Amino acid sequence: MRNKFILLILCVFTGVSINAQTAIKTLPQLGKDPLSRVIAAMTLEEKVNLVVGQGMRMPGAPSEISKNTEQMSPVVGQTQDQVSGAAGTTYPIPRLGIPSIVVADGPAGLRISPTRQNDKATYYCTAFPVATLLASTWDVDLVNKVGQVIGNEVLEYGVDVILGPGMNIHRNPLCGRNFEYYSEDPYVTGKIAAAMVNGIESNGVGTSAKHFAANNAETNRNSLNTIVSERALREIYLKGFGIMVEEAQPWTIMSSYNLINGTYAPESYDLLTKVLRNDWGFKGFVMTDWFGGRDAVAMMNAGNDLLMPGNPNQNKAILEAAKAGKLDVKVLDKNVERILNIILQSPKFKGYKISNKPDLKAHAEVSRQVASEGMVLLKNDNSTLPISDNIKKIAAFGNTSYEIITGGTGSGDVNEAYSVPLVEGLQNAGLSVEENLKILYEAYLKAAKAGRQRSRGFMMGSVPIAELSINSDIINSIVNLTDAAIITIGRNSGEGYDRRDGEGDFLLSYVEKDLINSVTSAFHSKGKKVIVILNVGGVIETASWKEIPDAILLAWQAGQETGNSIADILVGKVNPSGKLATTFPVNYKDVPSASNFPGKVIGQTQPKADKEPDMAASFMRPQPAEVTYEEGIYVGYRYYSTFNDPVSYEFGYGLSYTAFEYSNLKLSSTKFGNKLTATVEVRNTGKSEGKEVVQVYLTAPGKKLDKPAMELRGFKKSKLLKPGESQVLSFDISKKDLASFDPVLSAWTAEKGLYTVKAGSSSKNLSQTATFNLGNDIIVKKESPALLLKDKINELKPR
Ligand code: BGC
């Protein structure tokens, strides 16, 4: 009896297995058969499943909950499928050989959970400097190298696509996510992003350049209607993405939450098909930001191929529309094809054997190196830095000397194994720090942390700890015990809220100002120096206090090695060569978008920029809200240089321990044909070796279209030049560089007339000039009329 039963089981089992094998043999398989056959073999339900992600799954939550998290939107992506703490996954269809691919955040390094349930191993990733610092290196080769090692972690931890780089323009210094973005300038943004994408993707993994497009504030981010002219869109907000697509062709692009001129970005056919694919030739797929967009069918039609993280209502809506003939299945097939084309290239599809053991030690070295290359020396009176050999003991003031901020909050935060505080970095460099002061700060920080409210709300991170107020008796007693003082000023911000134009944020707090004043006067009275370190993710006010200390180093949020990288600069192991890729204005009100940032909730009053952010009323707000980009193309230095508005530190600014001289700017011709080449010589005239970022700007005639006083058209970082050594750098100037976007013609056009090329060390320090002539007006490139404004807006004009 027992044997008979076993035989029966075996027969049934073998029978099923043979049938299944025969069926699989006849079914087309991804990678083995033409894509068209694979798509033809998919059921409608399978196609719909593929274009909608598998949902979120919080640690410990059963998978049914994961698909029903829509009401929690928007949140930092989180899934436990395959790679714990990744942001999401796609739907697998094993019968056709289609695996599920994994996507994870985010720009400053890979973001996954460092630990897993019932697993003793750890999965830490390297925290690299924030994007704003990377752009401040102006070094595309170095950024490419950072991309290569980030991509290696993506590969070795089993992720297929990293959700970055972030590429939105720094329209306003208060945007809470500026640290995830590169610059106020689209050319810098595009070039640096292309280097990053190429570096990451050289590992055979993908990127998702985000957030496409015009997502320049966090307040009301899910409902904000960005009203912007076609010219400003093309020249400022889209251009960086265009450069990056042309030079790097990323696997994917992430559409943004906001609306552009009345249409949600992920639902915009103009944006995702006309501009991105028809005009720029993008070949990958587009995914939504997490829970972005409202109408699933409109997103399919627009060319937003994948809805992330995905929820069942979206599956239902697409399926019903396809069945009712409201969504053409050919459109769905195209979305599916684009996703499959990328899955085909993925490590998951190729069966890559992951190690879960990237070389974190080697990657930390890269993080340390790039960090010191992107820090910007803002002030260095009487060669305060590098600190002289007789300085042995430092008085370290400021909370963040002890609790360094390595990066911003939200999805851009990385789970690193350790971080190096400034005091530790100083000690590693052979300096000692004043112990009593250290004990005082550490005790204060411990008590403040124990007593504070854990979080200001979803994603906002912990409440910042108020700067410790130190009385003058303590300061005076420390002066005699130490050789110099460092004061660190820290700021943090992140996803989901914007910063404030108030004390303790854009402005220094009373305690911080007092600290700078009293420490400086005490140390100066004994002939000792004071150095301020800015450990910030974005721009702060500097004009009112910058005269006080001897030196100011803008260290940004420089990743897990921040303390070591700062110390490398302070002791002169690295000669600073970072330059600002974003302007430091004198006052917030000078910023051209100050009067219309972050926008307004329709029917309510403007949110106050100087009030503490209120999460419930901020980015989750479902009410319609809008912002009008009245400054048009005059963003950042384009505004300050055209309107002659003074700034505290200009775009492109940054000091070195050595000096550079520019000479011999030469053009290959004084008449523009198809292109020309500018060459300029830079010589190290100082006493130490160093690198210089050479910048080339162009001034175009502006008879038909208003033109900014100048626009950056080229940059290169020199090699490490020895004292006395020089290098000739060359820059190609193409037709594109001459052109502006003419909305009437829907084309990039260049006006005939005289053009001036300027070369130098910052947007204000351009000692070399040369001119050339363009004989005729030319149309450089026609574009699709797209994203048109419904009503005309009053844009800023230079006259
Ligand atoms: C952010 C994206 C991020 C995604 C997944 C969203 O809230 O805006 O930048 O990639 O979450 O975590």
Side-chain angles (χ1 to χ4, degrees), residues 38 101 112 145 163 271 273 278 357 542 572 579 593 599 603 605 610 632 698:
V38 177
I101 60 167
I112 57 173
K145 187 168 153 192
L163 305 175
L271 182 71
T273 298
N278 300 351
K357 286 194 175 48
T542 50
K579 304 249 185 174
S593 56
T605 46
D610 61 349
L698 195 65

PDB file of all heavy atoms in Angstrom, residues 38 101 112 145 163 271 273 278 357 542 572 579 593 599 603 605 610 632 698:
ATOM      1  N   VAL A  38       8.714  37.656 -26.600  1.00  0.00           N
ATOM      2  CA  VAL A  38       8.485  37.605 -25.151  1.00  0.00           C
ATOM      3  C   VAL A  38       7.266  38.456 -24.799  1.00  0.00           C
ATOM      4  O   VAL A  38       6.379  38.024 -24.053  1.00  0.00           O
ATOM      5  CB  VAL A  38       9.736  38.106 -24.377  1.00  0.00           C
ATOM      6  CG1 VAL A  38       9.487  38.118 -22.881  1.00  0.00           C
ATOM      7  CG2 VAL A  38      10.950  37.241 -24.718  1.00  0.00           C
ATOM      8  N   ILE A 101      13.964  43.081 -10.614  1.00  0.00           N
ATOM      9  CA  ILE A 101      15.174  43.867 -10.323  1.00  0.00           C
ATOM     10  C   ILE A 101      14.941  44.776  -9.112  1.00  0.00           C
ATOM     11  O   ILE A 101      13.803  45.135  -8.786  1.00  0.00           O
ATOM     12  CB  ILE A 101      15.694  44.668 -11.539  1.00  0.00           C
ATOM     13  CG1 ILE A 101      14.662  45.674 -12.058  1.00  0.00           C
ATOM     14  CG2 ILE A 101      16.172  43.739 -12.638  1.00  0.00           C
ATOM     15  CD1 ILE A 101      15.247  46.690 -13.039  1.00  0.00           C
ATOM     16  N   ILE A 112      20.980  51.028   1.904  1.00  0.00           N
ATOM     17  CA  ILE A 112      20.254  49.795   2.230  1.00  0.00           C
ATOM     18  C   ILE A 112      20.348  49.612   3.735  1.00  0.00           C
ATOM     19  O   ILE A 112      21.099  50.332   4.397  1.00  0.00           O
ATOM     20  CB  ILE A 112      20.844  48.554   1.500  1.00  0.00           C
ATOM     21  CG1 ILE A 112      22.332  48.372   1.818  1.00  0.00           C
ATOM     22  CG2 ILE A 112      20.615  48.632  -0.004  1.00  0.00           C
ATOM     23  CD1 ILE A 112      22.936  47.080   1.267  1.00  0.00           C
ATOM     24  N   LYS A 145      35.321  58.610 -10.784  1.00  0.00           N
ATOM     25  CA  LYS A 145      35.927  57.603  -9.901  1.00  0.00           C
ATOM     26  C   LYS A 145      35.002  57.297  -8.714  1.00  0.00           C
ATOM     27  O   LYS A 145      34.834  56.138  -8.320  1.00  0.00           O
ATOM     28  CB  LYS A 145      37.275  58.152  -9.409  1.00  0.00           C
ATOM     29  CG  LYS A 145      38.108  57.188  -8.633  1.00  0.00           C
ATOM     30  CD  LYS A 145      39.513  57.779  -8.493  1.00  0.00           C
ATOM     31  CE  LYS A 145      40.218  57.289  -7.256  1.00  0.00           C
ATOM     32  NZ  LYS A 145      41.430  58.051  -6.951  1.00  0.00           N
ATOM     33  N   LEU A 163      19.114  54.968  -7.190  1.00  0.00           N
ATOM     34  CA  LEU A 163      18.220  56.106  -7.445  1.00  0.00           C
ATOM     35  C   LEU A 163      18.995  57.418  -7.280  1.00  0.00           C
ATOM     36  O   LEU A 163      18.907  58.100  -6.272  1.00  0.00           O
ATOM     37  CB  LEU A 163      17.016  56.026  -6.513  1.00  0.00           C
ATOM     38  CG  LEU A 163      16.263  54.687  -6.608  1.00  0.00           C
ATOM     39  CD1 LEU A 163      15.147  54.613  -5.573  1.00  0.00           C
ATOM     40  CD2 LEU A 163      15.711  54.463  -8.003  1.00  0.00           C
ATOM     41  N   LEU A 271       6.947  66.273 -21.550  1.00  0.00           N
ATOM     42  CA  LEU A 271       8.229  66.157 -20.864  1.00  0.00           C
ATOM     43  C   LEU A 271       8.901  64.816 -21.176  1.00  0.00           C
ATOM     44  O   LEU A 271      10.086  64.768 -21.504  1.00  0.00           O
ATOM     45  CB  LEU A 271       8.001  66.285 -19.345  1.00  0.00           C
ATOM     46  CG  LEU A 271       9.252  66.222 -18.481  1.00  0.00           C
ATOM     47  CD1 LEU A 271      10.081  67.485 -18.652  1.00  0.00           C
ATOM     48  CD2 LEU A 271       8.888  66.059 -16.996  1.00  0.00           C
ATOM     49  N   THR A 273       8.064  62.298 -23.379  1.00  0.00           N
ATOM     50  CA  THR A 273       8.186  61.758 -24.740  1.00  0.00           C
ATOM     51  C   THR A 273       8.738  62.799 -25.692  1.00  0.00           C
ATOM     52  O   THR A 273       9.777  62.578 -26.320  1.00  0.00           O
ATOM     53  CB  THR A 273       6.825  61.212 -25.218  1.00  0.00           C
ATOM     54  OG1 THR A 273       6.464  60.147 -24.334  1.00  0.00           O
ATOM     55  CG2 THR A 273       6.925  60.659 -26.627  1.00  0.00           C
ATOM     56  N   ASN A 278      12.047  62.332 -27.893  1.00  0.00           N
ATOM     57  CA  ASN A 278      12.135  62.817 -29.279  1.00  0.00           C
ATOM     58  C   ASN A 278      13.267  63.824 -29.459  1.00  0.00           C
ATOM     59  O   ASN A 278      14.035  63.739 -30.403  1.00  0.00           O
ATOM     60  CB  ASN A 278      10.813  63.444 -29.725  1.00  0.00           C
ATOM     61  CG  ASN A 278       9.670  62.436 -29.648  1.00  0.00           C
ATOM     62  OD1 ASN A 278       9.910  61.247 -29.432  1.00  0.00           O
ATOM     63  ND2 ASN A 278       8.435  62.898 -29.811  1.00  0.00           N
ATOM     64  N   LYS A 357      30.352  41.894  -0.153  1.00  0.00           N
ATOM     65  CA  LYS A 357      31.587  42.346   0.510  1.00  0.00           C
ATOM     66  C   LYS A 357      32.371  43.317  -0.368  1.00  0.00           C
ATOM     67  O   LYS A 357      33.499  43.032  -0.787  1.00  0.00           O
ATOM     68  CB  LYS A 357      32.474  41.133   0.824  1.00  0.00           C
ATOM     69  CG  LYS A 357      31.958  40.323   1.987  1.00  0.00           C
ATOM     70  CD  LYS A 357      33.016  39.354   2.484  1.00  0.00           C
ATOM     71  CE  LYS A 357      32.552  38.627   3.719  1.00  0.00           C
ATOM     72  NZ  LYS A 357      31.214  38.066   3.617  1.00  0.00           N
ATOM     73  N   THR A 542      26.837  84.689   5.296  1.00  0.00           N
ATOM     74  CA  THR A 542      28.220  84.828   5.769  1.00  0.00           C
ATOM     75  C   THR A 542      28.668  86.289   5.848  1.00  0.00           C
ATOM     76  O   THR A 542      29.644  86.603   6.534  1.00  0.00           O
ATOM     77  CB  THR A 542      29.200  84.090   4.814  1.00  0.00           C
ATOM     78  OG1 THR A 542      28.920  84.502   3.475  1.00  0.00           O
ATOM     79  CG2 THR A 542      29.088  82.585   4.918  1.00  0.00           C
ATOM     80  N   GLY A 572      47.602  70.996   5.673  1.00  0.00           N
ATOM     81  CA  GLY A 572      48.308  71.232   4.407  1.00  0.00           C
ATOM     82  C   GLY A 572      48.664  69.966   3.647  1.00  0.00           C
ATOM     83  O   GLY A 572      49.425  70.007   2.675  1.00  0.00           O
ATOM     84  N   LYS A 579      35.758  74.955  -5.548  1.00  0.00           N
ATOM     85  CA  LYS A 579      35.196  76.289  -5.866  1.00  0.00           C
ATOM     86  C   LYS A 579      33.682  76.178  -5.763  1.00  0.00           C
ATOM     87  O   LYS A 579      33.105  75.103  -6.017  1.00  0.00           O
ATOM     88  CB  LYS A 579      35.551  76.671  -7.295  1.00  0.00           C
ATOM     89  CG  LYS A 579      37.039  76.657  -7.568  1.00  0.00           C
ATOM     90  CD  LYS A 579      37.566  78.046  -7.787  1.00  0.00           C
ATOM     91  CE  LYS A 579      39.030  77.987  -8.177  1.00  0.00           C
ATOM     92  NZ  LYS A 579      39.543  79.292  -8.537  1.00  0.00           N
ATOM     93  N   SER A 593      14.757  84.518  -6.397  1.00  0.00           N
ATOM     94  CA  SER A 593      13.482  83.827  -6.177  1.00  0.00           C
ATOM     95  C   SER A 593      12.964  84.005  -4.747  1.00  0.00           C
ATOM     96  O   SER A 593      11.997  83.353  -4.356  1.00  0.00           O
ATOM     97  CB  SER A 593      13.642  82.330  -6.475  1.00  0.00           C
ATOM     98  OG  SER A 593      14.684  81.801  -5.679  1.00  0.00           O
ATOM     99  N   GLY A 599       6.531  79.131  -2.680  1.00  0.00           N
ATOM    100  CA  GLY A 599       5.285  79.164  -3.431  1.00  0.00           C
ATOM    101  C   GLY A 599       4.135  79.328  -2.474  1.00  0.00           C
ATOM    102  O   GLY A 599       4.330  79.592  -1.288  1.00  0.00           O
ATOM    103  N   GLY A 603      -5.479  79.813  -2.159  1.00  0.00           N
ATOM    104  CA  GLY A 603      -6.558  80.085  -1.215  1.00  0.00           C
ATOM    105  C   GLY A 603      -6.046  80.338   0.189  1.00  0.00           C
ATOM    106  O   GLY A 603      -6.806  80.621   1.087  1.00  0.00           O
ATOM    107  N   THR A 605      -2.501  81.860   2.748  1.00  0.00           N
ATOM    108  CA  THR A 605      -1.384  82.799   2.681  1.00  0.00           C
ATOM    109  C   THR A 605      -0.063  82.062   2.457  1.00  0.00           C
ATOM    110  O   THR A 605       0.036  80.879   2.702  1.00  0.00           O
ATOM    111  CB  THR A 605      -1.273  83.610   3.985  1.00  0.00           C
ATOM    112  OG1 THR A 605      -1.395  82.684   5.041  1.00  0.00           O
ATOM    113  CG2 THR A 605      -2.310  84.701   4.063  1.00  0.00           C
ATOM    114  N   ASP A 610      10.502  82.005   7.627  1.00  0.00           N
ATOM    115  CA  ASP A 610      11.297  82.085   8.854  1.00  0.00           C
ATOM    116  C   ASP A 610      10.665  81.312  10.017  1.00  0.00           C
ATOM    117  O   ASP A 610      11.060  81.432  11.149  1.00  0.00           O
ATOM    118  CB  ASP A 610      11.521  83.546   9.250  1.00  0.00           C
ATOM    119  CG  ASP A 610      10.217  84.263   9.528  1.00  0.00           C
ATOM    120  OD1 ASP A 610       9.158  83.685   9.216  1.00  0.00           O
ATOM    121  OD2 ASP A 610      10.276  85.380  10.054  1.00  0.00           O
ATOM    122  N   GLY A 632      12.674  83.906 -14.126  1.00  0.00           N
ATOM    123  CA  GLY A 632      13.000  83.372 -15.450  1.00  0.00           C
ATOM    124  C   GLY A 632      14.359  82.701 -15.481  1.00  0.00           C
ATOM    125  O   GLY A 632      14.662  81.856 -14.643  1.00  0.00           O
ATOM    126  N   LEU A 698      30.962  82.942 -21.429  1.00  0.00           N
ATOM    127  CA  LEU A 698      30.720  83.562 -22.733  1.00  0.00           C
ATOM    128  C   LEU A 698      29.668  84.654 -22.586  1.00  0.00           C
ATOM    129  O   LEU A 698      28.643  84.454 -21.915  1.00  0.00           O
ATOM    130  CB  LEU A 698      30.202  82.476 -23.692  1.00  0.00           C
ATOM    131  CG  LEU A 698      30.213  82.801 -25.171  1.00  0.00           C
ATOM    132  CD1 LEU A 698      31.642  82.966 -25.678  1.00  0.00           C
ATOM    133  CD2 LEU A 698      29.536  81.662 -25.958  1.00  0.00           C
TER     134      LEU A 698
END
